[in-house]
Amino acid sequence: MKTTKQVLCRRIASCILAAFIAAGSSLDVMGQAVRSDYEIQRGFKEEYKAISDSIELVESLKEAKMLFERVKRLEDGYKSHDNLLNKVLHPDTFKGRLTDLKRRTITIQRRMATIEYQENKLIRLNDRLAFYGDHLDRLNTRSDSLREAIRQSVNSEKELSGLVRQYRESLEKRDDLILSFVDSIMVAYDQMDFQSVENLEKVRQQLRVDAGGNALAMVEGIVRENIAFLKSNPKISTEEYLRMNAVQQQFEKMWNSLGGKITSIYAEKSDEAREQMNKAIEEWDEQISQKTWASLNRAVSETGIDLPEFNNSQEFYNVLNGFLDNSISSSKEKATEEGYKRYKQFNAFWTNQIKAEWSAFLDQGDVLSNRQMASIDQKLDDWAVNAVPESNNILVYLLGASVLALVVLGVMLAREKNYNRS
Amino acid sequence: MNMEKRLSHYIILCALFTSMALAGCKQSMVISKVDYSQPIETVLEPDEKGIVNDIEHGLKFSIMPLQYAETNDTASVTTNEIRMIRGQEGYYFITAPGYKNVYVMKPEKNQMKLEKKIEVSTDGIAKPAFNQREPYIQLISRESGESYALSSKGIENSDKNEPKEAKVQ
């Protein structure tokens, strides 16, 4: 019974709705009946102009879609007057005007879709940057407090070495995080069509306000922290300096590639901000370069290898090459015990230290490229062939000959014994 | 001598007739079946002197003689718009809101001459509009939906030429 009532109610509601729609249609027909041709063409022209003007003002995909629907309604509403409109719009046509509007609204729909996609991507990136920012702040704080603890430490050597180990781990994690940040920012910003995003001032404003994910603020923070850290003259190993140098180089490459995009989005005065950052990154570069080369010079001299001082990549490579060329040449002239000792010393430093522990940082930090290292490897092999002293060679040959003679003699004796038994 | 004189007279007369005939031929060239019809009426606003200017069609004139014919008043401009359309034959059909008549005007050199004054309503049409419905001009009242098929002769009784959308529903 209840169901029947519900069905009845629904039918009545449907009838009322249908009546309203019919009345609306009828009114519409009546409305059209007293429209003159002049009003029809004026109505079409006004709506065409309104849609055409609105296309320039569209700010969202939703608006673009609504506009496309409006174009379709315009077409449906006026297609019965196409002959009249063709005369009025000459040399344009009704169909031509509609095609033009559709094309423009479809273009704006696509553009808005791209912008919204970029906008979402940028917002997601900002969330990720915010995460990096928090994490980096925590690691910086931890590194600072550990450094302070080490400075003030009056505890046992064991505890101190524990603190130093933690401090180094913390620095390493921080550098890894900066590299991850650089990778993320490179991938995300490089693929982005900033031409479309730049048109959306509101997105830029939103991103500028959202300091948590402000890429420019993060870049500034990282650079500032690193400069301050380096100016504090930290007592860290050559490997750590090389790692920090590699981080700086990667960071600088990222900035050179994306600095313009980042400042155009996040800074009010783009050029000014970029100039400031360029200077700061240059200072970071100077600081890390100076300390890395000093540390590397120290590390070389500590091994006892006598190399001239070097202060940049090219000088370092030239010094190594010069040293190897001279050593090879000397060995070729006369291989001495002293020369052989120097070879072993250099080989140990090159193989166990430079290649085993530093090679990745050398390449990333533009200290020595993999190609240059391969070239040095080749020269080292050449030196190895010529480094062994001749006296030693004769002894080796004599020893070899003696062993061979003993083996032959042993074999012959064994065969003799077997023969006698049989 | 007389003979020579007569001959010269004949030659002069022949030349005169030939040149007249040639001149006559030039003037008698006619392009027929010209369609002057304007697809859409023009709605013009008169200035304070009653001058309307149809820039699109290149036409400028004073509406004061029409106003005088309609209201016997030329003290000031009493209408804020006039509606005008040109028919197939080239006549201008002119009226204005509240006018009882449609004025069929024939264009001539520097002037328009009244061809026909068609009375369409005793009370005047408050919201008139013209539509081009060849071979007629359709006058509609946008208020009541009434429509009239007009020609330079007057109101035509030709329902079949009236478009359905202009009929009273």
Side-chain angles (χ1 to χ4, degrees):
Chain A
M1 189 65 186
K2 200 177 174 184
T3 323
T4 320
K5 266 186 180 176
Q6 281 177 341
V7 170
L8 198 65
C9 283
R10 268 188 211 154
R11 276 184 185 170
I12 291 166
S14 303
C15 286
I16 292 167
L17 189 66
F20 270 114
I21 292 168
S25 308
S26 155
L27 282 171
D28 195 38
V29 169
M30 278 185 79
Q32 275 190 1
V34 291
R35 283 172 81 196
S36 68
D37 290 354
Y38 176 80
E39 284 167 321
I40 290 167
Q41 59 91 28
R42 199 176 60 179
F44 176 82
K45 281 179 178 173
E46 281 173 0
E47 180 62 357
Y48 175 85
K49 189 177 181 305
I51 295 174
S52 198
D53 291 348
S54 300
I55 290 173
E56 306 301 322
L57 304 171
V58 166
E59 282 194 347
S60 69
L61 182 60
K62 194 180 167 191
E63 279 178 28
K65 282 180 177 170
M66 280 165 68
L67 213 55
F68 187 72
E69 290 304 315
R70 203 168 150 189
V71 174
K72 285 208 284 193
R73 281 201 300 278
L74 179 71
E75 185 176 27
D76 292 343
Y78 285 90
K79 66 184 170 193
S80 57
H81 304 293
D82 62 340
N83 279 335
L84 170 75
L85 292 169
N86 284 342
K87 284 179 192 167
V88 174
L89 301 171
H90 183 80
D92 277 358
T93 59
F94 171 70
K95 198 179 167 186
R97 286 278 177 104
L98 264 299
T99 308
D100 175 57
L101 274 187
K102 280 181 187 170
R103 183 186 53 75
R104 286 167 64 200
T105 45
I106 287 169
T107 306
I108 199 77
Q109 263 191 73
R110 283 186 188 146
R111 189 160 163 264
M112 285 298 129
T114 310
I115 287 170
E116 284 198 8
Y117 171 72
Q118 303 279 13
E119 202 180 312
N120 290 336
K121 204 171 166 183
L122 205 57
I123 287 163
R124 279 202 304 277
L125 175 71
N126 261 39
D127 292 343
R128 207 157 68 213
L129 292 185
F131 163 77
Y132 278 127
D134 289 348
H135 210 65
L136 204 61
D137 284 347
R138 279 204 301 278
L139 277 170
N140 277 331
T141 312
R142 185 174 156 74
S143 302
D144 289 349
S145 55
L146 278 168
R147 196 170 53 190
E148 191 57 24
I150 291 165
R151 198 175 63 80
Q152 293 179 350
S153 180
V154 286
N155 297 327
S156 68
E157 198 174 313
K158 194 180 170 187
E159 277 176 333
L160 189 64
S161 73
L163 280 174
V164 170
R165 186 174 47 79
Q166 280 179 34
Y167 174 60
R168 286 185 168 159
E169 278 173 7
S170 170
L171 284 181
E172 197 174 341
K173 276 184 192 166
R174 196 195 68 145
D175 288 347
D176 285 346
L177 197 68
I178 294 173
L179 286 177
S180 302
F181 164 75
V182 168
D183 284 347
S184 292
I185 216 165
M186 282 292 269
V187 170
Y189 281 69
D190 214 27
Q191 290 173 351
M192 226 172 256
D193 173 14
F194 278 81
Q195 198 57 46
S196 57
V197 177
E198 275 170 21
N199 294 331
L200 288 177
E201 188 56 28
K202 62 171 186 155
V203 179
R204 299 169 73 189
Q205 281 168 357
Q206 185 193 330
L207 293 176
R208 281 175 199 152
V209 170
D210 184 8
N214 185 330
L216 183 61
M218 280 196 66
V219 168
E220 280 170 349
I222 289 169
V223 175
R224 202 175 47 241
E225 282 289 336
N226 274 282
I227 292 171
F229 177 75
L230 291 167
K231 279 186 174 171
S232 71
N233 290 317
K235 287 180 178 127
I236 55 174
S237 66
T238 306
E239 184 182 338
E240 282 161 335
Y241 273 123
L242 284 168
R243 191 189 63 230
M244 289 180 78
N245 178 61
V247 168
Q248 196 280 334
Q249 291 293 320
Q250 296 301 308
F251 199 91
E252 193 169 342
K253 278 178 194 163
M254 176 278 289
W255 179 254
N256 289 340
S257 163
L258 301 173
K261 288 180 179 179
I262 293 172
T263 47
S264 70
I265 285 195
Y266 294 98
E268 292 283 352
K269 292 176 182 172
S270 172
D271 291 343
E272 207 174 291
R274 194 171 180 192
E275 193 55 38
Q276 277 177 3
M277 278 308 302
N278 285 346
K279 279 183 187 164
I281 288 175
E282 204 175 308
E283 191 184 351
W284 181 15
D285 188 19
E286 276 172 21
Q287 288 284 337
I288 190 66
S289 291
Q290 192 189 348
K291 290 193 162 49
T292 304
W293 292 115
S295 181
L296 205 52
N297 271 298
R298 234 179 359 257
V300 173
S301 68
E302 276 168 12
T303 59
I305 301 165
D306 187 22
L307 288 182
E309 199 181 319
F310 46 87
N311 290 305
N312 58 47
S313 304
Q314 195 55 49
E315 277 180 25
F316 184 42
Y317 182 62
N318 290 345
V319 159
L320 289 174
N321 261 325
F323 174 75
L324 287 169
D325 288 341
N326 288 338
S327 302
I328 292 165
S329 163
S330 303
S331 299
K332 277 183 179 170
E333 276 176 23
K334 192 181 181 185
T336 61
E337 281 295 336
E338 185 60 29
Y340 188 53
K341 195 180 154 191
R342 274 199 304 150
Y343 161 74
K344 284 203 286 190
Q345 199 180 28
F346 185 84
N347 184 45
F349 178 60
W350 178 257
T351 312
N352 303 333
Q353 188 85 71
I354 294 182
K355 279 181 68 184
E357 292 177 6
W358 302 346
S359 63
F361 302 139
L362 294 177
D363 184 49
Q364 284 173 12
D366 292 338
V367 175
L368 276 183
S369 68
N370 286 329
R371 207 179 190 177
Q372 288 174 322
M373 281 192 272
S375 153
I376 288 171
D377 270 340
Q378 213 171 359
K379 286 197 173 174
L380 200 57
D381 288 345
D382 198 12
W383 190 14
V385 171
N386 297 291
V388 184
E390 277 172 26
S391 54
N392 288 351
N393 287 350
I394 291 164
L395 278 174
V396 170
Y397 294 147
L398 283 174
L399 192 68
S402 309
V403 171
L404 191 66
L406 281 172
V407 170
V408 171
L409 196 64
V411 170
M412 283 174 71
L413 281 170
R415 284 182 68 184
E416 192 65 30
K417 257 186 185 176
N418 287 340
Y419 180 74
N420 289 339
R421 271 183 201 158
S422 62
Chain B
M1 189 65 187
N2 281 341
M3 188 71 175
E4 275 178 1
K5 258 187 178 177
R6 262 187 230 153
L7 193 64
S8 65
H9 281 155
Y10 284 138
I11 290 167
I12 290 165
L13 275 172
C14 279
L16 203 66
F17 282 129
T18 311
S19 61
M20 279 174 72
L22 282 171
C25 279
K26 202 176 177 184
Q27 279 180 345
S28 70
M29 189 180 77
V30 173
I31 299 171
S32 56
K33 293 181 183 172
V34 176
D35 184 352
Y36 289 101
S37 60
Q38 198 179 298
I40 296 289
E41 68 175 332
T42 308
V43 181
L44 299 168
E45 194 183 330
D47 65 12
E48 69 280 4
K49 289 177 184 166
I51 305 293
V52 287
N53 190 1
D54 181 2
I55 295 164
E56 196 183 341
H57 299 102
L59 188 67
K60 187 177 175 182
F61 62 92
S62 168
I63 63 157
M64 296 316 276
L66 294 168
Q67 186 180 303
Y68 183 76
E70 189 71 23
T71 62
N72 288 322
D73 177 16
T74 51
S76 63
V77 179
T78 54
T79 184
N80 58 359
E81 67 170 36
I82 66 139
R83 303 179 86 96
M84 178 178 75
I85 194 166
R86 197 171 191 189
Q88 212 171 21
E89 296 168 301
Y91 295 112
Y92 287 100
F93 292 72
I94 306 172
T95 193
Y99 279 24
K100 297 165 189 167
N101 304 293
V102 169
Y103 296 88
V104 182
M105 306 298 291
K106 184 182 177 185
E108 287 187 353
K109 191 177 180 182
N110 287 124
Q111 60 183 18
M112 281 205 278
K113 200 172 171 183
L114 181 68
E115 181 73 15
K116 181 85 181 170
K117 182 177 172 183
I118 306 169
E119 190 181 346
V120 285
S121 163
T122 47
D123 300 325
I125 299 175
K127 288 184 174 179
F130 290 119
N131 290 328
Q132 187 67 250
R133 298 288 180 265
E134 288 165 10
Y136 303 108
I137 295 296
Q138 183 187 54
L139 173 74
I140 60 166
S141 162
R142 286 176 291 141
E143 216 170 41
S144 66
E146 281 175 304
S147 69
Y148 310 87
L150 309 178
S151 75
S152 57
K153 306 276 186 299
I155 299 175
E156 300 285 335
N157 294 318
S158 179
D159 287 340
K160 65 180 179 182
N161 288 309
E162 289 179 19
K164 283 175 187 172
E165 68 169 6
K167 283 182 180 173
V168 184
Q169 299 296 308

